[in-house]
Amino acid sequence: MRCNSGSMNPDQPLAFLGGLTARDFMNEYWQKKPLFVPNALPGFSGTLEADELAGLACEELADSRIVLHDPEQHRWQLRRGPFQEEDFSRLPEENWTLLVTDVDQWHAETEQLLQLIDFIPRWRVDDVMVSYATAGGSVGPHLDQYDVFLLQGPGRRRWQIAAPEENPDLLPEHELAILARFEAEQEWITQPGDLLYLPPGIPHYGVALEPAMTWSLGMRAPALADLVTAYAEHIAETLPADALLRDPELPPCENPWQLGPDHISLFRKNLDRLLRQTDDAWIPWLGKWLTGTANHWPAPAENPLDSHALQQALATGHALFRAPWARTLWHEQMLFIAGEALLLPNKDAQTLASNHCVDLKLWNHLEAATQNHLATLHARGLYALGDDA
Ligand code: SIN
Ligand code: CO
């Protein structure tokens, strides 16, 4: 049963952050500078084995890559999954890395690692990527757009970082965006349980010293261009087609070709009014936008059940599992799920947002209206019945 407690004291020192409080970390390091924490998660040996990761990389729906490095030719090669078992047996002994993104969606124990960073809002969290590298394996020196918490599992890896550079040169003709130059300024050897936090834009280069696995807790941030486009589209959709700019106070002009100060402020005011919608409309839009996904669609349940039948199924040891890709958030009486907003009692909205599955115990704490909503979400394919592990 996967449950998130969902609450966190930002002023409590955290071993995971080397004794810093979440508040100190956010003030001093987040989006600002790297932090290396030796033994952040003592005894961490990973959440899945290398062969399980390889198995996942063979799944049609998983997003996987292999990066091979030829150190003599200084060449890098990218292969995209899904892979077949034989693909692995044909790989050289050394100098390659297998990377699988979104492992949290497929593997409950991996998803639970995200609780380590519960001080970061979930709308800011993207996924857990897991990599397995043979000795010498690396994805090359590069920089990422997003913050990442690199948690070392089995094996050791040497991490080097360099000074940020604006528009750095990349190796030509390469999908991998490998930096053409990389002058290490600082380096760490990470061992099992060590953490390296990197803010965006820091050139970094991780090379496995022996077979090594790394768990990357990766962040996301919306592109401002997408925010503006999506919100403007939403506003446009809410406006009646015949709504025109009105100007009953337009003063007479002296020169009809002049775009005068009055005209400019008329447009400014109209735009400001449109963009500054009331909270009533803006918050649901934001919650829906942040939980929406462009590339996943629920498959309606073959056997939709009403809430009474669902309760019976839960009573026989089943649980309702949320679609693993479905993002959730809550805000006062609202649950946002996969781009939709539902009005629910606040405690139910919190419960459903922070739990991946609903078993009988949780179900019994929900209001009847919420149970009915769950039946609808089940019928639409956003929750599926499964065995309660
Ligand atoms: C990895 O190889 O596990 C992560 C690579 C990176 O983001 O630097
Ligand atoms: Co990186």
Side-chain angles (χ1 to χ4, degrees), residues 16 41 44-50 52-53 99-100 103-104 107 109-114 116 127-133 148-155 157 159 190 192-197 212-218:
F16 184 65
L41 202 56
F44 181 63
S45 57
T47 54
L48 73 177
E49 305 281 336
E52 290 176 272
L53 188 70
L99 306 109
V100 185
V103 178
D104 50 305
H107 193 247
E109 220 185 301
T110 303
E111 198 278 335
Q112 283 169 0
L113 280 182
L114 292 174
L116 291 166
D127 74 329
V128 182
M129 177 178 84
V130 184
S131 70
Y132 167 80
V148 65
F149 294 82
L150 297 153
L151 184 57
Q152 188 59 40
R157 189 187 275 270
W159 285 102
T190 51
D194 290 355
L195 168 73
L196 178 61
Y197 160 76
M213 293 181 76
T214 305
W215 275 250
S216 301
L217 281 49

Side-chain angles (χ1 to χ4, degrees), residues 139 142-144 148 150 159 198 204:
V139 298
H142 67 279
L143 43 88
D144 297 312
V148 65
L150 297 153
W159 285 102
L198 295 176
H204 56 285

